[in-house]
């Protein structure tokens, strides 16, 4: 090996080490921000709990017991039938007027994803330390004159669920440690993205629950990391409100 070859090899190893160190620092900073947010939101109390709430006249229930979970939703459809969906570690089941329905796999997966998504967003930031979550710190920014930590979340394919390709950006207040904004993209129904702003907060059982104003950009391929700037510039369209009603929490023994 010549002196020059060795020098290039040494330089390459140094650059690789620097890149790895930088990535590790990003992950560590993001982890610290998320851990602080979980405490600020009272999320550890969800480890052994039953949470119930209504969203758009549909009743939801989320039972969690240290990794075991049972999520359900109950509503009456347009024909007057009582629909009860249950998603758990064991899978998904739908009953119609108390009779189990046989569903095509595609429909069962769609209903399962729908139940899971509502619970996921309702309990955020609770799930941000799941094993499949990959966090990176994007730095400090200002939104409406307030200081925020900006964190990006992606998912490993293993354990990341059906939407493992989705990406999220979270804005955590630097001082209060609250999750005040989030943006995400999705692949379903042709794809797109959304930006959510907290509109109302209620604390129940020591846990912070949040309502949101839901926005979108004109371009469905809009980069979600730029949503904060577009929001401040007034370039987003409000498409809906997400309000949790009748929230109740019961701690499991």
């Amino acid at each position: 090996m010549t002196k020059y070859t060795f020098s290039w090899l040494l330089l390459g190893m140094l650059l690789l080490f620097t890149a790895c160190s930088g990535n590790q620092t990003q992950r560590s900073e993001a982890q610290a921000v998320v851990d602080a947010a979980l405490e600020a939101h009272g999320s550890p109390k969800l480890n052994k709990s039953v949470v119930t709430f209504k969203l758009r006249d549909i009743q939801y229930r989320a039972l969690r017991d240290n990794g075991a979970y049972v999520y359900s939703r109950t509503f009456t459809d347009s024909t007057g039938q009582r629909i009860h969906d249950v998603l758990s570690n064991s899978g998904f089941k739908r009953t119609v007027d108390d009779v189990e329905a046989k569903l095509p796999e595609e429909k069962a997966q769609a209903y399962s994803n729908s139940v899971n998504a509502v619970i996921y967003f309702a309990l955020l930031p609770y799930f941000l330390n799941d094993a499949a979550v990959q966090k990176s710190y994007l730095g400090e920014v200002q939104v409406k004159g307030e200081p925020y930590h900006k964190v990006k979340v992606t998912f490993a394919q293993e354990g990341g669920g059906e939407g493992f390709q989705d990406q999220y950006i979270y804005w955590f207040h630097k001082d209060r440690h609250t999750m005040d904004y989030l943006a995400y993209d999705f692949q379903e129904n042709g794809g797109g993205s959304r930006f959510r702003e907290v509109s109302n907060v209620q604390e129940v059982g020591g846990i912070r629950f949040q309502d949101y104003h839901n926005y979108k950009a004109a371009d469905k391929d809009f980069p979600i990391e730029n949503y904060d700037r577009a929001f401040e510039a007034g370039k987003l369209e409000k498409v809906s409100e997400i309000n949790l009603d009748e929230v109740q929490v019961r701690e499991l023994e």
Side-chain angles (χ1 to χ4, degrees):
M1 180 183 295
T2 67
K3 177 175 67 175
Y4 299 106
T5 302
F6 179 77
S7 297
W8 280 110
L9 180 61
L10 187 62
L11 178 60
M13 292 175 65
L14 180 61
L15 290 173
L16 180 62
F17 175 77
T18 301
C20 291
S21 298
N23 289 338
Q24 183 60 44
T25 299
Q26 278 190 334
R27 287 193 293 269
S28 298
E29 290 180 344
Q31 187 63 58
V33 169
V34 167
D35 287 345
L38 292 172
E39 289 298 324
H41 282 251
S43 296
K45 296 179 183 295
L46 291 168
N47 289 333
K48 291 178 68 68
S49 68
V50 178
V51 176
T52 59
F53 60 89
K54 276 191 174 181
L55 175 64
R56 296 172 183 147
D57 294 323
I58 298 177
Q59 182 70 48
Y60 288 88
R61 181 178 184 269
L63 180 152
R64 295 197 60 87
D65 189 358
N66 289 329
Y69 66 89
V70 181
Y71 302 155
S72 68
R73 69 178 174 188
T74 307
F75 62 97
T76 301
D77 70 9
S78 59
T79 67
Q81 297 180 112
R82 181 181 180 273
I83 309 298
H84 184 59
D85 293 334
V86 177
L87 173 65
S88 69
N89 302 80
S90 303
F92 177 82
K93 181 175 71 172
R94 165 170 284 200
T95 58
V96 179
D97 288 337
D98 298 321
V99 177
E100 185 171 351
K102 293 183 178 180
L103 300 171
E105 184 176 345
E106 185 177 336
K107 276 196 172 183
Q109 189 63 61
Y111 296 152
S112 171
N113 291 346
S114 178
V115 172
N116 187 67
V118 170
I119 300 298
Y120 185 88
F121 281 110
L123 302 188
L124 277 173
Y126 176 70
F127 299 99
L128 296 187
N129 272 343
D130 284 359
V133 172
Q134 301 168 332
K135 298 181 278 286
S136 57
Y137 185 67
L138 301 184
E140 291 186 24
V141 296
Q142 294 271 327
V143 182
K144 288 188 172 181
E146 294 286 330
Y148 285 90
H149 295 295
K150 194 172 179 178
V151 173
K152 181 177 182 178
V153 165
T154 58
F155 302 91
Q157 183 170 358
E158 184 176 353
E162 288 288 312
F164 74 91
Q165 293 176 309
D166 297 346
Q167 300 183 73
Y168 289 71
I169 305 290
Y170 296 93
W171 288 262
F172 298 98
H173 197 279
K174 184 178 178 182
D175 302 320
R176 298 191 299 266
H177 309 296
T178 51
M179 186 192 78
D180 295 346
Y181 305 94
L182 68 127
Y184 61 96
D185 60 21
F186 53 90
Q187 312 303 319
E188 299 84 5
N189 301 317
S193 63
R194 293 290 186 270
F195 176 81
R196 293 189 179 188
E197 171 198 21
V198 171
S199 58
N200 183 57
V201 173
Q202 53 183 316
E203 186 172 308
V204 182
I207 302 167
R208 180 183 174 97
F209 294 91
Q210 303 184 154
D211 299 332
Y212 298 94
H213 291 157
N214 196 25
Y215 299 87
K216 71 174 182 178
D219 179 5
K220 75 179 184 67
D221 297 319
F222 185 80
I224 61 172
E225 60 269 21
N226 295 337
Y227 257 120
D228 48 356
R229 284 177 281 177
F231 173 66
E232 288 209 286
K235 294 183 178 180
L236 302 181
E237 175 190 352
K238 183 179 174 182
V239 293
S240 66
E241 295 184 0
I242 297 105
N243 300 317
L244 304 183
D245 298 317
E246 301 177 20
V247 179
Q248 296 184 35
V249 176
R250 177 169 61 86
E251 186 177 351
L252 295 178
E253 297 181 359

